[in-house]
Amino acid sequence: MVEQGDGGGDGPEKRRRLSRPLVLGAAVALVDREGLAALTMRRLAGELGVESMALYRYTPGKEALLDGLIEAFFAEVNERLRRSARTPEPAWRAELRRISQAFAAAAHAHPEILPLVATRPLTVPVARRPAPVLDLTEHILAVLGRAGFDDSTALTVYRAFVAWNLGCLLVDKRQVVDNQDEPDPVLRLGLHRLPAADYPRLRALVPRFADFDDQAELLAGLDSLLDRMPRAPLDAFYGGGAS
C-alpha cells in the first residue's frame, strides 16, 4: 500500500496530496456512511490509501480525530453562513435565524456527528476548542453585542439560543424509525413493540412525531424563545426593525 503523505523519492509531491482538511473530510464521510463506531485510525487510513502512521502528522490519535470531526462540522456551518445572504446589521433576530438554519443544514447532512457536537465540546476548555467553533461563538456574541445587549444579557440569550438549537435537532424524527425499509407505518415505526395498554399516548403521537417539519419547528420555537428574551436596546432605536 502506497502512502500519500510520507513515501518515497518524490515525497514532496506525495505529501501535498494528504492534508488535514483531506483527512478530516474522509473521516466525516466515513462516519456519515457507517456511523461513529466505524471510525478508527486504521480504517481511516485504509479509506485514504495510506498506512496508519501517515495520519499521525495530521491528527495524533483517535481522541484528536473526534475533535477533528467537531472542527469539520463547524467549519461547514461557517461556510454555509458565508454562502448565504447576510442580514442587515440591526436585524439581530433574523441573523440568529440564519445561523440556526445553517447549523440545522449541517446537522441534517451529518446526523451521526450531531451527538458528538452536543457533548464533546463540554469536555474541552473554551480556549482549546477548534477555531471554527470559536469563530461561530464569536460571531453570535458579536451579533448580540451590536444589538445593544449588555454582556450578561448577551450570554443569557446565547446560552438559550445554543440550547434550543441542539435540543430541537437532537430530538429528531429519525430516532422514531424502527425499520427504514418497512412500508407499513406501524411496523416502520415499531409501534407493534409498544403495548397499547401501557403506552397509549406514545402509540398515538409517534406517527405525528415522525412526520413533523423539523425545520419549521426549529424556527418557530426559536422565535417563541426570542420573544421571551429581554428586548434588545437597538430594537427601539430601529422601530422594531431588528426583529
Side-chain angles (χ1 to χ4, degrees):
M1 185 179 294
V2 178
E3 293 182 5
Q4 293 180 346
D6 296 82
D10 51 350
E13 288 295 320
K14 290 182 179 292
R15 277 194 292 273
R16 280 196 292 270
R17 295 177 59 190
L18 201 62
S19 65
R20 182 169 173 81
L22 181 65
V23 170
L24 296 184
V28 168
L30 176 58
V31 172
D32 286 346
R33 190 172 67 249
E34 299 185 31
L36 200 58
L39 182 64
T40 66
M41 297 293 279
R42 183 186 296 270
R43 178 65 190 281
L44 181 58
E47 292 284 312
L48 289 165
V50 302
E51 299 294 338
S52 298
M53 289 303 296
L55 299 182
Y56 286 86
R57 175 179 297 171
Y58 307 98
T59 179
K62 177 66 177 293
E63 291 301 305
L65 188 54
L66 294 178
D67 291 335
L69 292 177
I70 305 297
E71 177 183 332
F73 181 94
F74 278 90
E76 179 172 326
V77 174
N78 293 333
E79 179 57 29
R80 288 177 182 273
L81 284 173
R82 281 190 287 271
R83 294 200 307 261
S84 65
R86 185 179 293 273
T87 56
E89 286 296 319
W92 67 276
R93 285 184 55 160
E95 181 63 7
L96 290 187
R97 284 172 61 93
R98 191 175 77 95
I99 294 168
S100 184
Q101 289 174 303
F103 189 89
H108 289 151
H110 311 292
E112 297 292 329
I113 299 177
L114 182 61
L116 199 64
V117 170
T119 57
R120 190 164 182 84
L122 300 178
T123 69
V124 181
V126 171
R128 296 183 185 176
R129 292 174 189 172
V133 179
L134 299 178
D135 291 342
L136 184 60
T137 302
E138 179 70 16
H139 176 57
I140 296 170
L141 293 175
V143 167
L144 298 175
R146 288 194 298 269
F149 288 114
D150 60 54
D151 290 350
S152 178
T153 306
L155 285 174
T156 296
V157 177
Y158 165 78
R159 291 190 182 103
F161 174 71
V162 171
W164 170 253
N165 279 279
L166 285 173
C168 187
L169 290 168
L170 284 169
V171 184
D172 189 275
K173 59 187 175 184
R174 280 182 293 269
Q175 296 182 16
V176 304
V177 175
D178 186 60
N179 185 347
Q180 187 73 40
D181 299 323
E182 176 58 62
D184 185 300
V186 171
L187 298 177
R188 183 171 184 269
L189 299 175
L191 298 183
H192 60 292
R193 304 180 190 279
L194 299 175
D198 295 335
Y199 305 108
R201 296 305 296 158
L202 271 176
R203 284 179 63 103
L205 293 178
V206 162
R208 294 177 178 268
F209 186 45
D211 292 335
F212 81 98
D213 185 336
D214 48 2
Q215 183 81 312
E217 182 157 315
L218 177 72
L219 295 178
L222 177 61
D223 286 340
S224 179
L225 175 70
L226 295 179
D227 284 343
R228 290 163 172 75
M229 292 290 107
R231 188 172 174 84
L234 292 186
D235 282 356
F237 180 80
Y238 287 101
S243 298

